[in-house]
Amino acid sequence: MVNETDLDADPGLVPDPEDDPHTRVRAWGSVELTMLFPPFPGPGASDDRVRAAHDPVRARQVVESLGTVEEILEQLPDRAWEELSAPEVRADLDYVAVGCWGNVTRIIDPALASDLLANCMTREIARQRARHPQARIVGSVDLSYGNAYLEDEVALPGVENVRVFGWDCDEDDDWEVYGDPAEVLRVLGVDRAAAAEAGFDLDDEVSERDWRTLGRFALEGFGPRLGQLVSVFRVRHTSDAVFDRDEVWIDR
């Protein structure tokens, strides 16, 4: 997202090596947090949410509510969802994108990236759950360092959160799973056979299940379409968020 020519425009600016905006990130992947607000349409129902116009005012309010963000520094022109790109250098980590389409909100904030030491996504889901107790909240982290760190969390009203995380190279016993995915399927009205057909088979080993499919069930299959707009913000993350963010993206 950052324009490196702009960064080089001031020859008098000599960044601290520990905070050089040109520093390449070591991870590649995606970090997404999605909230679905009631009323929920139910499995298979006709739904126009994905065609709802983006609300940039609401998007700004969402960014201001994030526990990772200290201040919004700049709001960039809205852009199409598919035009977003993964961070490449440290300066890119300062950008947060939010789409607000009807009763769906999707957030991309690099500071929500987690690993086995930083539980950033889980903390933010807990904060948003306290703010929006009736929402369904799904967080997903997929970061590659050669091997991939994968984390998924599904939070439904009245049900214990399901959270799973691990490395794709790990044995099944090395993965961590909290909560009961079978109970989540039951609450959503999805039977085991339908879940298995869609890619989430409870008879598979933990590391072999497509946990993102469980999140898609919670979100009623929602996914942004080509051309849907999002708002993009350059932010100042909190000091704690910056520490965890850089540990995950750069210092591993």
Side-chain angles (χ1 to χ4, degrees):
M1 290 182 182
V2 70
N3 185 326
E4 294 197 16
T5 301
D6 293 341
L7 291 175
D8 291 331
D10 183 358
L13 179 62
V14 180
D16 186 321
E18 294 297 318
D19 194 32
D20 184 350
H22 297 90
T23 299
R24 305 287 299 185
V25 301
R26 295 182 181 177
W28 186 92
S30 63
V31 181
E32 298 178 359
L33 188 156
T34 306
M35 295 184 283
L36 172 64
F37 297 91
F40 305 126
S46 176
D47 183 10
D48 288 333
R49 288 167 302 155
V50 293
R51 288 180 287 278
H54 169 62
D55 184 346
V57 175
R58 171 64 181 148
R60 187 180 185 95
Q61 294 170 344
V62 169
V63 174
E64 291 172 339
S65 79
L66 294 174
T68 55
V69 173
E70 180 175 302
E71 180 184 3
I72 293 175
L73 301 175
E74 179 184 8
Q75 183 166 353
L76 283 68
D78 292 350
R79 66 186 64 179
W81 175 263
E82 66 271 16
E83 293 176 3
L84 299 176
S85 57
E88 296 182 0
V89 296
R90 178 184 266 113
D92 292 337
L93 302 177
D94 293 330
Y95 290 86
V96 176
V98 176
C100 291
W101 310 288
N103 62 337
V104 177
T105 295
R106 180 163 288 187
I107 302 161
I108 295 180
D109 179 359
L112 296 179
S114 302
D115 58 16
L116 294 178
L117 300 177
N119 297 323
C120 307
M121 180 65 78
T122 292
R123 288 199 301 268
E124 189 59 38
I125 287 176
R127 290 186 74 261
Q128 296 299 329
R129 160 63 67 237
R131 292 173 58 87
H132 308 291
Q134 298 307 311
R136 295 178 182 175
I137 305 176
V138 174
S140 180
V141 178
D142 183 348
L143 295 178
S144 176
Y145 305 86
N147 294 315
Y149 173 78
L150 305 171
E151 179 175 326
D152 290 275
E153 185 165 353
V154 177
L156 305 182
V159 180
E160 180 185 2
N161 290 12
V162 168
R163 181 183 179 226
V164 58
F165 56 93
W167 292 86
D168 64 348
C169 57
D170 283 347
E171 297 294 331
D172 194 68
D173 290 344
D174 294 325
W175 282 64
E176 298 283 345
V177 181
Y178 298 90
D180 184 353
E183 178 66 5
V184 168
L185 291 176
R186 186 193 68 78
V187 169
L188 294 173
V190 180
D191 64 41
R192 290 176 63 117
E197 185 176 353
F200 185 74
D201 192 339
L202 288 172
D203 292 328
D204 286 342
E205 298 293 339
V206 168
S207 60
E208 296 175 356
R209 299 175 193 170
D210 183 357
W211 288 93
R212 285 200 170 186
T213 294
L214 184 64
R216 285 191 286 270
F217 282 130
L219 299 173
E220 307 291 358
F222 167 79
R225 295 183 177 181
L226 293 177
Q228 281 195 283
L229 295 180
V230 298
S231 293
V232 179
F233 304 85
R234 185 170 63 89
V235 307
R236 177 181 293 112
H237 285 112
T238 67
S239 58
D240 287 344
V242 168
F243 177 83
D244 288 336
R245 182 199 73 184
D246 289 359
E247 282 287 305
V248 170
W249 287 96
I250 295 175
D251 295 333
R252 170 172 292 282

